[in-house]
Amino acid sequence: MKTMLSTDVGGPETLALSDMQSPEPGKNQVRIKVHAAGVNFPDTLIIRDLYQMKPPRPFAPGGEISGEVDALGEAVTNLKVGDRVLGMIGFGGFATEVVADANRVVKIPDNMPYDEAACFVLTYGTSHHALKDRANIQAGETLLILGAAGGVGVAAIELGKAAGAKVIAAVSSEEKAQFCRDLGADETLIYSRDMSDRATQKEFSTQIKALSGSDGVDVIYDAVGGDYAQPAVRSLAWKGRYLVVGFPAGIPSIPLNLTLLKGCQIVGVFWGAHTVREPQNHAENMGDLFRLYREGKIKPRISANYPLDKAGDALQLLQDRKVLGKVVVTMD
């Protein structure tokens, strides 16, 4: 098998294409011939030892994959050789073969392409858990999405619209704003790439409130963090919910007096832990997502496709925040 390995702590340029022995599945595991691997922001962190998961080196990044089962370990009864599947594996996906726990592998619809399957679970799973389970979003509410043109942001746009919310997509360029409008966002807002100035933050809050058409937004989906968080929280309506999703712009500092003044909630979204701690709820959510996919209400938007030996370039594109929708690495 071939794989892109992280052998030293560092950026995408440190990955190296390598040959390895094909892995054998153990008890309750399957081996998957990988056709595609999704590229996600945690992949840029894990190779720098900045993610909560720190696998021993050498390892391949790549937490979500799709392909077909080609070997079964002992005691596996829910899958068979030849099944088309997707899997959440944490790391190891930038490879032509992987071994995965059978309970982390899900069959995919016959008409679902492998590249879309490899970009499906993490983004839509995160956003569905955030909006449904953590925010309890309701039809008619207003949803603000920071970083709306990225993978989880795109999923949040589609899922917010499917829930009947008014969606405001906040992004860093007109190109990204048009992309979000094409996806169905009701309003778009282009924010400054430098939000460190207090006057810029105040203007950002004012723009959000103007677009919300009310006393503020009901739900904020923050996949950016940094200096964008505080002005966003200031734009919340009474009893609003601020969803903590990610921090590519840095971990924010939010004055807790704002939560008192607005009666609002700051809610953490840790989808990976949710899938382990609440497997029944996760299974129900996956059923929701495959139904919405079949109905045509959600569909991964893949803007770039890289071969395995260029996986580092895919990570660099994501790291530079130049991605619209999703990036995928394909093995075929």
Side-chain angles (χ1 to χ4, degrees), residues 137 140-146 166-169 187 189 204-205 207-221 231-242 262 264:
I137 196 165
E141 290 191 315
T142 301
L143 167 66
L144 169 69
I145 304 168
L146 304 183
K166 175 182 177 179
V167 174
I168 302 173
E187 303 281 0
L189 172 58
F204 185 40
S205 291
Q207 291 175 316
I208 296 170
K209 290 177 181 177
L211 289 175
S212 68
S214 64
D215 293 331
V217 294
D218 299 294
V219 178
I220 294 173
Y221 184 104
V233 171
R234 291 184 183 277
S235 74
L236 275 172
W238 176 250
K239 291 188 177 180
R241 289 88 78 200
Y242 169 83
K262 294 178 173 293
C264 66

Side-chain angles (χ1 to χ4, degrees), residues 2-5 12-18 94-96 305-315 328-332:
K2 291 188 178 297
T3 181
M4 285 293 280
L5 289 180
E13 72 283 354
T14 63
L15 297 181
L17 186 65
S18 305
F94 291 179
T96 54
N305 188 313
Y306 288 82
L308 179 60
D309 63 348
K310 300 294 183 183
D313 294 342
L315 287 178
V328 66
V329 171
T330 53
M331 315 306 162
D332 300 329

Side-chain angles (χ1 to χ4, degrees), residues 33 61-62 67 82 104 163 213 219 288-289 294 312 317:
K33 178 183 177 183
R104 305 289 289 171
V219 178
D288 291 343
L289 292 174
R294 289 192 296 269
L317 189 72

Side-chain angles (χ1 to χ4, degrees), residues 31-289:
R31 187 175 65 210
I32 300 169
K33 178 183 177 183
V34 180
H35 287 272
V39 182
N40 298 288
F41 190 70
D43 298 324
T44 70
L45 300 178
I46 198 169
I47 60 175
R48 288 183 165 87
D49 286 354
L50 297 177
Y51 196 54
Q52 51 259 42
M53 180 190 301
K54 294 181 174 61
R57 286 186 169 78
F59 70 90
E64 63 175 338
I65 56 94
S66 67
E68 59 186 277
V69 176
D70 76 348
L72 303 177
E74 180 187 350
V76 175
T77 59
N78 61 321
L79 297 165
K80 64 181 186 300
V81 171
D83 280 346
R84 302 175 74 250
V85 297
L86 57 78
M88 292 301 301
I89 57 175
F91 62 93
F94 291 179
T96 54
E97 295 178 349
V98 299
V99 164
D101 292 340
N103 63 1
R104 305 289 289 171
V105 174
V106 179
K107 295 178 185 179
I108 61 175
D110 291 340
N111 64 342
M112 191 178 210
Y114 283 120
D115 58 351
E116 292 185 9
C119 296
F120 190 70
V121 180
L122 192 148
T123 51
Y124 287 100
T126 297
S127 295
H128 191 46
H129 171 56
L131 296 177
K132 171 179 169 282
D133 300 328
R134 304 300 285 146
N136 189 28
I137 196 165
Q138 300 296 308
E141 290 191 315
T142 301
L143 167 66
L144 169 69
I145 304 168
L146 304 183
V152 292
V154 167
I157 291 174
E158 293 181 314
L159 291 167
K161 293 303 298 179
K166 175 182 177 179
V167 174
I168 302 173
V171 292
S172 60
S173 70
E174 175 55 37
E175 179 188 16
K176 292 180 178 179
Q178 185 59 56
F179 178 68
C180 292
R181 288 192 291 269
D182 292 343
L183 290 172
D186 299 288
E187 303 281 0
T188 56
L189 172 58
I190 300 174
Y191 47 63
S192 171
R193 290 184 178 272
D194 182 1
M195 196 62 66
S196 59
D197 179 73
R198 183 70 187 93
T200 305
Q201 292 183 12
K202 186 175 181 179
E203 175 61 21
F204 185 40
S205 291
T206 300
Q207 291 175 316
I208 296 170
K209 290 177 181 177
L211 289 175
S212 68
S214 64
D215 293 331
V217 294
D218 299 294
V219 178
I220 294 173
Y221 184 104
D222 186 1
V224 178
D227 292 327
Y228 300 87
Q230 186 179 147
V233 171
R234 291 184 183 277
S235 74
L236 275 172
W238 176 250
K239 291 188 177 180
R241 289 88 78 200
Y242 169 83
L243 299 170
V244 182
V245 181
F247 326 102
I251 297 176
S253 297
I254 300 173
L256 288 181
N257 66 304
L258 291 176
T259 63
L260 182 151
L261 295 172
K262 294 178 173 293
C264 66
Q265 302 174 49
I266 296 177
V267 186
V269 179
F270 192 174
W271 175 76
H274 153 74
T275 65
V276 175
R277 292 174 177 267
E278 302 168 318
Q280 183 58 44
N281 185 211
H282 169 57
E284 292 171 1
N285 286 350
M286 287 302 300
D288 291 343
L289 292 174

